[in-house]
C-alpha cells in the first residue's frame, strides 16, 4: 500500500530508481536543496547521504484544521516528485492524507510510531481549534486539540508546516469563533520549528529535514520560530522589481502599461517589505515562478496573523 513506501527500509537509491527517479535527478534535487540552504553545489553529496542513510527518522504527520494545501505543495510541485524522494528516504509512519491504512489500522500505526524507543519527528499541518475543549475539529473521534496535546510533547522535534500550524492562519482570522491558534500557542508555548507560508515552499520543508539529519540539531530560528536559513531576508530585498521601487516607478493598476513593464506593485498592496521568506530565490512550481513575478502582490502569508494584519490585500500599508 502507498503508506508503506517509506518505513525506513535500506536501499533507498535503488528503490528511487525503480520508482523512476534516476541518480542524476536525485543529485539535481540534492543540489537544489543545498542551494536553498545557502550551501554551494559541493554540499549536494552530504544532502544525498543524509536522505539515504540506513537509519532514518520516524516521521508522524498530523493534519489538523487546514485545507491540505501544504501537503499538495510538497507532493505535487517538484520534479522528480518529492513523494518518490522524501517518502522513500524518511520513515513516514503516519500521514492521514496519503496513507492507504484507515480506521483502527491507521490509529495503531500512529501509536506504534509515537511510542517507539527511537523517537520520532512530528510534522503538523493546520491550526488547533481550542474553543469548548476543541470540539470543532475531530479525527477518529478525538479532538485535534487532544491529539496535539498527546503527540507533540512526545516528539524529538515538531515542524509546523504552513501558516495555519505556525500561527493559526485563516482559521484564526477575526472573529475566530473556534479560537483556532498555532500549535505552540495552543500548547502553552511548546517549542516548534515554524515553516509558514500559504502554502509553505516544499524546499523549505526538505531543507529543514536535511539540516536536522546532517547537523543532528535544529536550525537557528528567528523571534517567530522560523529558520533564518529560509526566512532571514525580506521578500522586498530580493524582489526582481526592487529597481523600480528604488526609482519610484509604481504600477497604478493591474491593467496599466506600467504593470506590463514590470513596475513595482507596492501601491497595489504588495506586502513584500514586511514579509520574510525566500520566495524570490526559490520560487514555486519547480522553480518556474512566484506571485510577484506572475504579476500579483505579495500578501504577506508567512507573517503571524497575516489575514488580519496584512489585509486589505490590495491596499498599500
Amino acid at each position: 500500500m502507498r503508506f508503506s513506501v517509506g518505513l525506513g527500509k535500506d536501499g533507498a537509491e535503488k528503490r528511487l530508481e525503480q520508482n523512476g527517479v534516476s541518480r542524476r535527478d536525485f543529485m539535481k534535487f540534492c543540489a537544489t536543496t543545498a542551494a536553498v540552504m545557502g550551501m554551494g553545489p559541493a554540499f549536494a553529496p552530504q544532502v544525498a547521504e543524509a536522505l539515504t542513510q540506513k537509519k532514518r527518522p520516524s516521521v508522524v504527520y498530523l493534519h489538523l484544521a487546514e485545507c491540505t494545501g501544504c501537503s499538495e505543495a510538497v507532493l505535487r510541485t517538484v520534479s522528480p516528485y518529492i513523494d518518490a524522494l522524501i517518502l522513500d528516504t524518511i520513515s513516514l509512519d503516519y500521514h492521514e492524507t496519503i496513507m492507504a491504512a484507515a480506521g483502527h489500522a491507521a490509529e495503531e500505526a500512529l501509536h506504534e510510531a509515537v511510542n517507539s524507543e527511537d523517537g520520532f519527528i512530528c510534522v503538523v499541518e493546520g491550526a488547533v481549534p481550542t474553543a469548548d475543549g476543541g470540539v470543532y475539529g475531530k479525527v477518529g473521534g478525538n479532538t485535534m486539540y487532544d491529539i496535539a496535546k498527546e503527540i507533540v510533547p512526545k516528539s524529538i522535534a515538531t515542524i509546523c508546516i504552513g501558516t495555519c500550524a505556525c500561527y493559526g492562519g485563516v482559521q484564526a482570522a477575526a472573529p475566530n469563533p473556534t479560537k483556532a491558534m498555532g500549535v505552540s500557542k495552543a500548547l502553552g508555548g511548546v517549542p516548534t520549528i515554524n515553516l509558514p507560508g500559504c502554502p509553505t515552499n516544499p524546499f523549505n520543508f526538505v531543507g529543514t529535514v536535511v539540516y536536522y539529519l546532517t547537523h543532528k540539531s535544529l536550525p537557528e530560528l528567528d523571534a517567530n520560530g522560523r529558520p533564518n536559513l529560509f526566512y532571514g531576508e525580506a521578500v522586498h530585498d530580493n524582489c526582481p522589481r526592487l529597481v523600480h521601487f528604488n526609482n519610484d516607478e509604481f504600477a497604478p493598476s493591474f491593467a496599466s502599461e506600467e504593470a506590463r513593464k514590470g513596475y513595482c506593485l507596492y501601491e497595489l498592496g504588495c506586502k513584500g517589505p514586511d514579509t520574510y521568506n525566500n520566495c524570490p530565490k526559490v520560487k514555486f512550481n519547480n522553480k518556474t515562478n512566484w506571485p510577484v513575478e506572475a504579476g500579483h502582490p505579495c500578501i504577506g502569508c508567512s507573517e503571524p496573523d497575516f489575514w488580519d494584519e496584512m489585509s486589505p490585500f490590495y491596499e498599500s500599508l
Side-chain angles (χ1 to χ4, degrees):
M1 57 187 179
R2 194 70 183 85
F3 167 56
S4 68
V5 168
L7 300 180
K9 297 177 181 176
D10 294 337
E13 287 188 82
K14 182 178 180 180
R15 282 180 288 108
L16 285 172
E17 187 172 353
Q18 291 172 344
N19 288 331
V21 181
S22 67
R23 173 71 180 174
R24 178 184 177 87
D25 288 338
F26 179 55
M27 292 309 299
K28 182 179 178 181
F29 174 83
C30 293
T32 301
T33 302
V36 173
M37 296 174 68
M39 310 296 182
F43 192 71
Q46 290 176 254
V47 174
E49 182 180 355
L51 290 175
T52 56
Q53 59 186 262
K54 289 185 177 180
K55 187 173 180 60
R56 294 180 290 280
S58 170
V59 174
V60 167
Y61 198 116
L62 300 178
H63 286 269
L64 303 183
E66 39 81 17
C67 69
T68 315
C70 290
S71 280
E72 289 290 337
V74 169
L75 297 173
R76 308 296 183 194
T77 60
V78 175
S79 178
Y81 295 115
I82 283 184
D83 65 340
L85 282 167
I86 295 303
L87 305 189
D88 214 21
T89 53
I90 64 174
S91 181
L92 186 65
D93 292 327
Y94 184 83
H95 190 299
E96 292 156 2
T97 302
I98 61 174
M99 61 194 293
H104 294 298
E107 295 305 302
E108 288 176 6
L110 172 62
H111 288 92
E112 181 178 346
V114 302
N115 291 313
S116 169
E117 294 180 355
D118 295 327
F120 67 99
I121 294 174
C122 184
V123 180
V124 183
E125 182 176 348
V128 185
T130 63
D132 300 323
V135 297
Y136 301 106
K138 287 189 173 182
V139 177
N142 300 308
T143 69
M144 295 171 177
Y145 194 15
D146 285 340
I147 293 171
K149 287 190 288 187
E150 177 191 356
I151 305 298
V152 170
K154 295 179 180 177
S155 67
I156 300 171
T158 297
I159 299 174
C160 290
I161 184 169
T163 301
C164 299
C166 297
Y167 313 124
V170 64
Q171 284 72 229
N176 191 7
T178 67
K179 289 187 171 28
M181 54 186 74
V183 174
S184 181
K185 184 177 180 180
L187 302 184
V190 297
T192 60
I193 304 168
N194 293 331
L195 305 178
C198 192
T200 293
N201 191 295
F203 276 107
N204 291 353
F205 173 63
V206 176
T208 300
V209 173
V210 168
Y211 186 95
Y212 180 79
L213 293 175
T214 53
H215 292 77
K216 307 302 180 186
S217 63
L218 305 179
E220 181 183 355
L221 307 178
D222 68 10
N224 292 311
R226 303 173 294 196
N228 287 324
L229 278 172
F230 316 118
Y231 298 90
E233 297 178 294
V235 168
H236 176 77
D237 293 336
N238 294 296
C239 181
R241 297 174 189 253
L242 179 60
V243 62
H244 295 295
F245 178 89
N246 292 337
N247 292 331
D248 292 329
E249 296 172 342
F250 301 99
S253 73
F254 291 109
S256 65
E257 181 62 23
E258 290 85 352
R260 282 189 284 274
K261 290 180 178 178
Y263 281 18
C264 179
L265 302 174
Y266 182 76
E267 293 184 352
L268 296 177
C270 186
K271 307 301 189 297
D274 294 282
T275 303
Y276 288 81
N277 207 329
N278 57 3
C279 302
K281 290 183 175 179
V282 183
K283 302 184 181 182
F284 287 83
N285 300 322
N286 206 19
K287 294 178 70 74
T288 59
N289 213 331
W290 66 291
V292 172
E293 190 171 340
H296 193 281
C298 168
I299 61 173
C301 69
S302 57
E303 296 304 302
D305 301 320
F306 90 97
W307 277 95
D308 292 334
E309 296 186 1
M310 294 295 187
S311 57
F313 292 139
Y314 298 105
E315 294 182 10
S316 59
L317 293 172

